[in-house]
Amino acid sequence: MQNEEDEEAELEVLAEFSHPVPWQKIEAQGLDLDYALLFSKEEADALFKQLEEEVMYSTGEEAKVQVFGKLHNIPRRQATYGDAGLRYTYSGRTHLACTWTPTLEYIRDAVTNATGHTFNFVLINRYRDGEDHIGEHRDDEKELDPVCPIASVSLGAARDFVLRHRDARGKRGARRLEPVKLQLAHGSLLLMNPPTNTFWYHSLPVRKKVRLPRINLTFRRILLISRGEEPANVWSL
Ligand SMILES: O=C(O)CCC(=O)C(=O)O
Ligand SMILES: [Fe+2]
């Protein structure tokens, strides 16, 4: 019942604001992506600058990951924002979302207008230059709403984005499935639609020639109702 109401609300949003974005569809077995330029260069420049002033990135323990029992600095900076009280677990750590800034609300609403989907959380990654990167992973946490795409907005230096099917990883991948490679441009929006994150891993590899910073925002919808043994993803609302 709740879902039907949500769907109706989303359709209304779609009908009300159809944004003039030329979408490009990218498909492969179990992979479904939509790519478009969401912001003009001028607007993307302004948004990048505003985010540089507004976003507070994690520091100290929060900015480290544990790999085989050892703590490492993550090779980029991260921040989480969202609806009041939301928390989200990734890489074994629980993060409490900061409340939306005006610029983040503006970008979130532009994504909603362009897609008809609503989001209650954003993970922000800042890559200083081409040395900063993110390793191969899937965003398949069980607290994510399984019907909602992950909407990835890129600002700043263009970077390569590589997706590989889970059965084609490693030297002796069980299946010959070609990786999917994209370049994520300044002001672009990439939708990772279900079931992409079940079957495909993605990464942002090191690119030593890239000298300029990049900010990536992945808008997500986190379920507020606990499933099974898991606690609900809110402290208090
Ligand atoms: O920076 C990117 O384009 C990807 C970031 C990413 O994969 C993530 O936030 O989960
Ligand atoms: Fe990801």
Side-chain angles (χ1 to χ4, degrees):
M1 195 58 206
Q2 186 59 41
N3 278 347
E4 267 174 41
E5 278 170 18
D6 285 349
E7 269 173 34
E8 256 175 47
E10 289 202 352
L11 285 175
E12 262 172 43
V13 171
L14 248 187
E16 227 177 296
F17 318 92
S18 53
H19 201 276
V21 267
W23 289 104
Q24 190 189 329
K25 187 67 143 173
I26 302 147
E27 283 175 303
Q29 205 172 97
L31 177 136
D32 180 349
L33 309 174
D34 292 292
Y35 179 81
L37 279 181
L38 182 60
F39 300 114
S40 66
K41 183 182 178 306
E42 292 69 31
E43 198 169 13
D45 286 348
L47 291 169
F48 184 93
K49 216 171 134 214
Q50 282 165 235
L51 291 178
E52 288 290 68
E53 285 163 21
E54 281 175 25
V55 176
M56 305 283 288
Y57 291 93
S58 301
T59 51
E61 284 291 287
E62 271 228 322
K64 293 183 194 288
V65 277
Q66 204 166 344
V67 185
F68 299 118
K70 265 185 81 177
L71 279 180
H72 297 266
N73 287 324
I74 58 165
R76 63 190 176 280
R77 298 175 81 197
Q78 281 188 327
T80 54
Y81 284 79
D83 291 357
L86 255 192
R87 64 186 165 87
Y88 181 51
T89 306
Y90 61 87
S91 309
R93 275 177 187 278
T94 298
H95 300 252
L96 186 60
C98 303
T99 49
W100 300 102
T101 70
T103 307
L104 291 173
E105 279 178 338
Y106 178 85
I107 301 172
R108 178 201 64 196
D109 292 348
V111 174
T112 293
N113 293 349
T115 64
H117 291 283
T118 55
F119 303 90
N120 57 10
F121 183 87
V122 64
L123 170 65
I124 307 175
N125 282 290
R126 187 184 188 280
Y127 306 86
R128 280 167 302 184
D129 56 28
E131 294 283 353
D132 274 358
H133 60 279
I134 191 163
E136 213 169 50
H137 67 281
R138 289 180 295 173
D139 293 308
D140 61 346
E141 287 81 1
K142 45 189 173 313
E143 55 253 85
L144 289 174
D145 186 332
V147 304
C148 185
I150 293 181
S152 166
V153 172
S154 294
L155 297 166
R159 290 284 296 263
D160 292 339
F161 185 75
V162 181
L163 297 115
R164 283 206 292 163
H165 193 282
R166 66 180 186 191
D167 296 340
R169 297 168 72 229
K171 284 216 175 71
R172 294 195 289 160
R175 296 170 62 195
R176 272 178 216 278
L177 274 159
E178 287 303 309
V180 172
K181 296 181 185 171
L182 308 172
Q183 205 189 44
L184 302 180
H186 184 40
S188 69
L189 169 60
L190 174 73
L191 295 182
M192 289 189 264
N193 299 304
T196 307
N197 267 294
T198 305
F199 297 107
W200 293 73
Y201 285 70
H202 57 267
S203 66
L204 192 90
V206 169
R207 290 288 181 262
K208 292 195 194 302
K209 287 185 186 147
V210 176
R211 299 284 154 115
L212 295 173
R214 167 177 183 270
I215 299 174
N216 176 261
L217 308 102
T218 45
F219 292 89
R220 299 153 190 251
R221 185 149 73 225
I222 295 181
L223 297 168
L224 301 179
I225 304 150
S226 66
R227 293 205 279 181
E229 300 291 292
E230 297 296 315
N233 291 306
V234 270
W235 295 113
S236 58
L237 274 177

